Amino acid sequence: MSFEFAEIARHAAADRTISSEEVMALRREGWADGRMSREEAEMVFATQHAIDNPSREWSDFFVEAIRNHVLNGSDPRGFASAEEAEWLIAQVEADGAVCSMTELELLTSIIERAHNVPETLKSYVLGVMEREVLEGTGPTRCGGELSDSHVSAAECRIMRRVIFGQASDRPAAVSRREAEVMFRIKDAVAGSGNAPEFKRLFVQSVGNYLMGFAHANGQISRERMLELETFVADNKANVGRFMGRMAKQAPNAFGVVFGRKDDSSSREEQVAADAEVTAFEQDWLDAQIARSGDVDEYDQALLEFIAEETGEA
């Protein structure tokens, strides 16, 4: 970490404010080598906790800097290690305050952009999202405001980004855990003046869990990616010969092992199978609806969607 970077951060923390010029200087000094170091990232977090009214320029820098450190601070890029996830959670919790709007944006953007993150971080971000939607107040960075009395349009945007993010439980699909979060939020605000987007999001997300197709290989672990990168980097002649021989002798196995086989008929069968609501899923759905003691307008919209998709309307 450069002396200039440290001085700017310390000065901002002491004054509890930071100017646009100081943010530009931090950008210049912090990314001089293309990466944000751990020491620099911790100083950025300390500054975030100290500033009273962060500007848009600071918030943008904070999100980019910490996301860069967590996802690109170590190889393979685009992933977070278990240690990096633990560090991030500890930093967010360090000031003992409820997650700020800027920190909420950071967590959301990491789930949205990462190839994958550890289970601990997925669970933590879902918990923060649920808490902020139900209890948070104030303007968000993506426009609109958080409300503790109903679900706002801004909160719908945050939930959609987290639930359908690349590093969510099921990328481009919804997991059982995420669907249960949506039910808990719905039960808490069903009688409130929620944004119209919320009913659509609720039906889409729970309906996706019950009937949507999720590719089993939609995500790859950080450890597996490291193995593959190491393999690709090994350019010895015997590796090339092995790959060529394997492709000739067992082309089908070759495709399966490296995830490139595309059997369209099998995929269509899997999509059709996933679209069926199983007995287990029906029992789960019945239990979720029964928790509130009534079939509300959101439950009704979901049931109508399922009936229409399954041809039972």
Side-chain angles (χ1 to χ4, degrees):
M1 177 171 59
S2 70
F3 174 79
E4 288 79 8
F5 186 98
E7 282 301 298
I8 294 169
R10 290 193 189 99
H11 184 268
D15 289 351
R16 307 190 70 83
T17 186
I18 188 167
S19 67
S20 299
E21 292 75 17
E22 288 172 322
V23 173
M24 290 180 63
L26 285 177
R27 281 186 177 276
R28 184 173 57 251
E29 296 293 332
W31 277 310
D33 59 355
R35 293 196 180 191
M36 179 70 58
S37 71
R38 175 58 57 86
E39 188 178 7
E40 290 168 334
E42 289 182 347
M43 189 155 284
V44 169
F45 248 115
T47 304
Q48 162 65 17
H49 290 155
I51 293 175
D52 290 325
N53 295 299
S55 65
R56 185 61 185 244
E57 290 87 353
W58 164 258
S59 295
D60 287 344
F61 168 73
F62 171 79
V63 171
E64 292 171 31
I66 303 303
R67 186 179 64 222
N68 178 284
H69 174 69
V70 172
L71 299 183
N72 299 324
S74 62
D75 292 325
R77 292 195 170 204
F79 292 79
S81 68
E83 185 276 332
E84 287 164 336
E86 291 174 3
W87 173 86
L88 176 62
I89 294 171
Q91 291 296 313
V92 171
E93 300 286 336
D95 61 352
V98 174
C99 181
S100 72
M101 300 302 172
T102 302
E103 289 165 353
L104 176 60
E105 173 64 22
L106 167 65
L107 297 173
T108 300
S109 69
I110 286 176
I111 294 296
E112 187 177 37
R113 299 193 183 195
H115 296 310
N116 205 353
V117 299
E119 169 63 22
T120 52
L121 186 54
K122 293 181 184 183
S123 180
Y124 179 74
V125 175
L126 267 180
V128 169
M129 180 199 76
E130 182 177 1
R131 182 185 68 200
E132 292 300 319
V133 168
L134 294 177
E135 302 174 6
T137 58
T140 68
R141 293 183 67 259
C142 60
E145 295 197 355
L146 298 183
S147 170
D148 59 358
S149 61
H150 64 277
V151 174
S152 68
E155 289 168 328
C156 287
R157 288 194 290 272
I158 291 170
M159 287 189 284
R160 185 176 293 279
R161 292 170 63 196
V162 170
I163 290 174
F164 290 100
Q166 286 190 106
S168 63
D169 281 350
R170 297 168 75 200
V174 179
S175 70
R176 176 180 174 180
R177 175 170 63 178
E178 291 165 337
E180 289 177 352
V181 167
M182 293 302 297
F183 258 107
R184 287 198 297 272
I185 292 173
K186 184 272 297 182
D187 287 344
V189 300
S192 307
N194 303 307
E197 293 92 332
F198 179 59
K199 183 183 289 186
R200 183 165 59 251
L201 177 60
F202 173 76
V203 171
Q204 288 176 341
S205 56
V206 178
N208 183 288
Y209 162 62
L210 293 170
M211 307 176 67
F213 171 72
H215 198 290
N217 298 319
Q219 285 175 330
I220 186 171
S221 70
R222 177 177 180 271
E223 291 71 25
R224 181 57 175 153
M225 179 58 76
L226 279 172
E227 291 176 2
L228 293 176
E229 287 190 351
T230 300
F231 182 83
V232 171
D234 186 348
N235 60 0
K236 296 177 182 178
N238 64 332
V239 173
R241 285 198 300 271
F242 167 76
M243 294 288 283
R245 188 168 63 250
M246 183 177 178
K248 290 178 181 179
Q249 294 176 355
N252 290 335
F254 183 84
V256 171
V257 169
F258 289 92
R260 287 201 291 263
K261 185 177 180 182
D262 186 12
D263 188 333
S264 57
S265 61
S266 296
R267 186 179 297 272
E268 289 173 1
E269 291 171 0
Q270 183 62 53
V271 170
D274 285 352
E276 296 292 330
V277 177
T278 66
F280 172 82
E281 290 170 335
Q282 186 63 57
D283 288 344
W284 173 88
L285 178 60
D286 292 344
Q288 293 298 311
I289 292 176
R291 287 195 326 151
S292 65
D294 188 23
V295 178
D296 57 45
E297 61 177 300
Y298 299 93
D299 297 328
Q300 187 61 43
L302 174 62
L303 293 172
E304 290 173 359
F305 168 79
I306 294 172
E308 181 177 349
E309 290 299 307
T310 57
E312 297 178 1

